């Protein structure tokens, strides 16, 4: 069952700000509705969402019943290195769902743009006099 | 419909109906029934084989001698060729397959009802559209032809075009078929709604599609 | 066959079309007691504490008249360079009249590049939506928007 629809650009240049969209299938039952008999329909929502980029958490969200059914999220992150985005939704009644998407991040080709000490681009290495700042996140 | 709703519909990465389309894609490739066949085995690549199909449904079925909707066609294929049980109306699987197939017709102009064999059924559908019913004694035409540009208690009346079904309706917070919407409307005028798959609903859907002739298919649409 | 449940003006009957829900339980939605502006203030205080809340920097993009309160697209963006020294740590969104004052909390950081989050929310009634951003220097900035929500005209009964 396709429970999630993820949109991550397949390719990006290092340093680009990219938009990530995550849509997942969930009823997000508020816990405030009642059946015809008058009984309260128990709450059943996704309570949190997290996105990890090569293992590092880059976005987290707490959801409340006011988030609409089939929750949609769009957020941004800086493309640093090629790898994987991992998405996780956790909710009531033990709900847990994951999804992932890969990204290829290319060197922007600008001197010192990525500040990567291990950059293997010959032009960058030649200019590297050891004064580069380390990669900061 | 507002620009935000239109934007939600046009963006395949944000359109909630796409969740059903993805499920439909999986079902398309899944073997089913006694014959152990998947839709893909006979119909091949969906984009080429199903393009334009939703735009000409409801279509005439020779064996039954009457029009059938896309949902009914899917079930007929299942029973006739896959030896599988038909899927229940409004079930997740049937909606997913319908949405998946209808998605292939996005942008295609509606041509339903062109078949001359359908003419008597289109007439029946038109009669149903024009006939007053229910405790409120309203016909579809009273609102959707005569007052389509006005609002009913904050909701736009609209022309009631069927070119986006199955659609994600914000009111339902889920994907639903045109028959569900029709039953809801009929209940809304306080009349007894026809059952899913009833010939009256099929004829009404057929008439609505002929009325929408020339509009392009927008499935899966997003509507309030 | 209309059941009259309560006599408040805002009550409406909403029966979900059966088969899409597991077990096809017909649902009647009677609007529960609304949150009050005091609950909203308390929820904000929970996040902000006693710190002052400045107006500005935050942009809350939400349609002033929604087509359907069940799904309202909303975008919150905050002007910020998003560097290690000056960035948005989190964005909190609240509402005034839903049964609960919280809508969502979003945690970002300098790695986000842009402080902007979009989602879809539910609004039970015409009300104010408030977004508060927590910056790396500890300050809080807010923006609010008034949204008009109308109820659907037609009802649907479970089969």
């Amino acid at each position: 069952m396709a429970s999630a629809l993820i949109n991550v650009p397949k390719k990006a240049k290092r340093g680009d700000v990219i938009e990530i969209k995550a849509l997942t299938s969930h009823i997000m039952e508020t816990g405030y509705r009642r059946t015809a008999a008058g009984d309260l329909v128990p709450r059943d929502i996704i309570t949190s969402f997290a996105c990890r980029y090569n293992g590092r958490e880059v976005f987290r969200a707490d959801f409340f019943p006011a988030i609409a059914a089939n929750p949609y999220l769009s957020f941004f992150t800086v493309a640093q290195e090629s790898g994987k985005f991992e998405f996780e939704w956790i909710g009531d009644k033990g709900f847990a769902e994951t999804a992932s998407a890969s990204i290829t991040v290319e060197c922007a080709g600008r001197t010192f743009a990525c500040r990567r000490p291990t950059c293997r681009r010959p032009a960058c290495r030649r200019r590297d006099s050891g004064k580069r700042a380390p990669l900061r996140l | 419909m507002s620009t935000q709703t239109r934007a939600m519909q046009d963006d395949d990465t944000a359109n909630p109906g796409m969740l059903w389309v993805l499920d439909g894609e999986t079902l398309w490739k899944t073997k089913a029934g006694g014959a152990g066949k998947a839709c893909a085995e006979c119909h091949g690549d969906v984009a080429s084989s199903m393009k334009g199909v939703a735009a000409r449904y409801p279509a005439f079925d020779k064996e039954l001698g009457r029009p059938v909707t896309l949902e009914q066609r899917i079930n007929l294929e299942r029973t006739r060729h896959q030896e599988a049980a038909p899927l229940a109306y409004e079930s997740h699987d049937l909606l997913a397959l319908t949405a998946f197939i209808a998605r292939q017709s996005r942008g295609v102009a509606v041509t339903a009802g062109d078949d001359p064999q359908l003419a008597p059924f289109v007439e029946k559908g038109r009669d149903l559209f024009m006939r007053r019913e229910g405790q409120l004694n309203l016909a579809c035409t009273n609102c959707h032809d005569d007052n389509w540009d006005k609002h009913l208690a904050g909701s736009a009346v609209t022309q009631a075009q069927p070119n986006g079904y199955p659609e994600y309706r914000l009111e339902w917070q889920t994907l639903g078929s045109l028959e569900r919407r029709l039953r809801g409307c009929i209940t809304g005028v306080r009349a007894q709604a026809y059952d899913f798959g009833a010939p009256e609903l099929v004829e009404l859907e057929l008439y609505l599609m002929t009325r929408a002739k020339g509009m392009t298919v927008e499935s899966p649409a997003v509507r309030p | 066959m209309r059941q009259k449940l309560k006599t408040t003006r805002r009550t409406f009957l909403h029966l979900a079309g059966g088969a899409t829900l597991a077990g096809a339980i017909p649902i009647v939605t009677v609007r529960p007691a609304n949150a009050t502006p005091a609950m909203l203030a308390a929820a904000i205080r929970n996040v902000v504490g006693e710190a002052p809340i400045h107006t500005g920097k935050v942009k809350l993009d939400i349609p002033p008249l929604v087509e359907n309160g069940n799904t309202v697209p909303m975008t919150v963006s905050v002007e910020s360079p998003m560097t290690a020294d000056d960035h948005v740590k989190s964005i909190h969104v609240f509402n005034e009249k839903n049964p609960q004052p919280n809508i969502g909390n979003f945690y970002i950081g300098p790695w986000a590049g842009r402080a902007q989050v979009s989602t879809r929310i539910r609004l039970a009634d015409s009300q104010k939506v408030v977004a508060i951003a927590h910056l790396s220097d500890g300050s809080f900035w807010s923006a609010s928007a008034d949204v008009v929500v109308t109820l659907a005209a037609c009802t649907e009964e479970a089969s």
Side-chain angles (χ1 to χ4, degrees):
Chain A
M1 282 291 220
S3 343
L5 181 56
I6 304 285
N7 189 256
V8 169
K10 287 210 172 30
K11 275 204 187 137
K13 294 234 164 43
R14 187 165 291 120
D16 276 354
V17 175
I18 55 172
E19 184 179 13
I20 298 177
K21 298 188 203 172
L23 173 63
T24 188
S25 159
H26 196 281
I27 192 175
M28 296 295 282
E29 186 61 62
T30 61
Y32 296 107
R33 296 204 298 174
R34 289 182 184 273
T35 63
D39 306 313
L40 210 54
V41 179
R43 194 186 91 162
D44 185 8
I45 64 167
I46 294 177
T47 48
S48 77
F49 167 82
C51 170
R52 280 179 199 84
Y53 182 10
N54 284 342
R56 200 183 307 110
E57 185 180 281
V58 292
F59 181 83
R60 191 161 51 90
D62 299 329
F63 285 167
F64 293 85
I67 299 289
N70 302 312
Y72 168 77
L73 262 181
S74 144
F75 55 96
F76 292 81
T77 197
V78 178
Q80 299 279 10
E81 56 216 1
S82 298
K84 212 155 118 172
F85 281 96
E86 280 159 335
F87 306 89
E88 188 182 37
W89 291 264
I90 305 229
D92 294 335
K93 302 192 182 162
F95 179 84
E97 196 197 298
T98 55
S100 63
S102 304
I103 189 170
T104 307
V105 177
E106 299 159 334
C107 175
R110 299 186 295 268
T111 317
F112 296 137
C114 65
R115 277 120 155 267
R116 206 176 165 91
T118 55
C119 181
R120 292 162 66 197
R121 190 164 168 273
C124 291
R125 284 221 324 269
R126 273 200 298 277
R127 275 181 267 230
D128 179 8
S129 57
K131 292 198 199 116
R132 272 179 195 242
L135 181 67
R136 291 191 306 171
L137 281 174
Chain B
M1 119 185 167
S2 72
T3 41
Q4 290 91 4
T5 312
R6 169 65 67 176
M8 206 189 299
Q9 176 182 302
D10 290 341
D11 181 359
D12 268 359
T13 56
N15 183 335
M18 289 305 292
L19 291 167
W20 279 260
V21 171
L22 289 179
D23 278 347
E25 188 169 9
T26 311
L27 287 166
W28 179 262
K29 300 182 191 144
T30 308
K31 291 188 193 290
K37 280 196 196 153
C39 316
E41 283 173 45
C42 293
H43 291 286
D45 169 46
V46 70
S48 42
S49 61
M50 292 292 127
K51 187 173 169 77
V53 168
R56 55 179 176 81
Y57 263 75
F60 193 78
D61 181 78
K62 269 208 230 357
E63 251 182 69
L64 293 173
R66 54 169 300 105
V68 293
T69 61
L70 190 52
E71 288 87 345
Q72 289 173 326
R73 167 61 63 206
I74 292 171
N75 276 336
L76 285 170
E77 294 289 298
R78 282 177 67 86
T79 48
R80 288 176 186 168
H81 303 292
Q82 288 179 305
E83 294 167 31
L87 296 165
Y89 285 106
E90 292 314 287
S91 63
H92 184 96
D93 283 357
L94 185 57
L95 284 171
L97 273 171
T98 316
F100 181 56
I101 293 172
R103 172 76 181 77
Q104 311 309 319
S105 294
R106 219 183 224 199
V108 179
V110 171
T111 52
D114 278 354
D115 186 347
Q117 291 174 102
L118 290 172
F121 300 97
V122 174
E123 269 310 303
K124 284 196 196 155
R126 181 177 297 121
D127 288 340
L128 284 162
F129 192 80
M130 302 293 172
R131 194 179 64 207
R132 288 182 181 268
E133 58 183 3
Q135 291 179 326
L136 298 188
N137 203 32
L138 284 171
C140 314
T141 180
N142 298 138
C143 292
H144 295 295
D145 282 334
D146 301 336
N147 292 292
W148 64 267
D149 51 347
K150 302 190 179 61
H151 284 72
L152 178 65
S155 307
V157 172
T158 80
Q159 289 180 346
Q161 300 293 3
N163 60 322
Y165 281 88
E167 71 178 25
Y168 188 87
R169 200 163 169 240
L170 303 182
E171 181 64 25
W172 297 330
Q173 298 189 79
T174 189
L175 197 85
S177 67
L178 177 58
E179 290 200 346
R180 176 178 175 177
R181 188 71 194 88
L182 291 174
R183 294 183 78 236
C185 243
I186 293 170
T187 307
V189 298
R190 319 317 294 167
Q192 179 68 45
Y194 302 103
D195 290 329
F196 280 105
E200 289 89 351
L201 287 182
V202 180
E203 284 147 16
L204 198 43
E205 182 170 338
L206 176 60
Y207 171 67
L208 287 172
M209 285 295 270
T210 60
R211 192 169 161 265
K213 203 187 182 75
M215 289 184 76
T216 54
V217 172
E218 292 179 18
S219 312
V222 180
R223 297 280 186 271
Chain C
M1 285 207 293
R2 200 169 190 161
Q3 289 166 311
K4 210 160 194 282
L5 287 167
K6 278 192 186 165
T7 53
T8 61
R9 195 158 60 98
R10 296 244 177 248
T11 301
F12 70 101
L13 215 74
H14 187 126
L15 299 174
T20 53
L21 294 177
I25 307 167
I27 303 273
V28 175
T29 305
V30 174
R31 271 224 287 181
N34 294 329
T36 61
M39 279 172 74
L40 168 62
I44 292 178
R45 219 179 3 263
N46 240 352
V47 168
V48 169
E50 296 303 316
I53 306 176
H54 311 278
T55 323
K57 290 200 195 219
V58 182
K59 183 158 162 278
L60 179 52
D61 200 351
I62 193 168
L65 170 61
V66 316
E67 280 205 296
N68 192 290
N70 282 334
T71 307
V72 182
M74 173 194 81
T75 302
V76 186
S77 50
V78 187
E79 278 167 33
S80 167
M82 295 306 277
T83 60
D85 303 318
D86 183 8
H87 58 266
V88 177
K89 295 211 301 209
S90 59
I91 299 174
H92 307 265
V93 189
F94 306 91
N95 69 82
E96 203 188 7
K97 292 191 190 155
N98 280 1
Q100 240 200 337
N102 301 84
I103 290 180
N105 301 326
F106 308 98
Y107 303 92
I108 51 182
W111 47 79
R114 188 185 309 175
Q116 183 176 315
V117 177
S118 300
T119 184
R120 298 181 195 141
I121 65 176
R122 288 181 174 131
L123 294 174
D125 194 2
S126 299
Q127 58 188 294
K128 192 187 342 214
V129 178
V130 177
I132 296 185
H134 186 194
L135 267 44
S136 51
D137 62 2
S139 62
F140 291 93
W141 295 76
S142 82
S144 69
D146 281 301
V147 186
V148 175
V149 177
T150 56
L151 305 177
C154 280
T155 62
E156 192 177 67
E157 256 181 34
S159 48

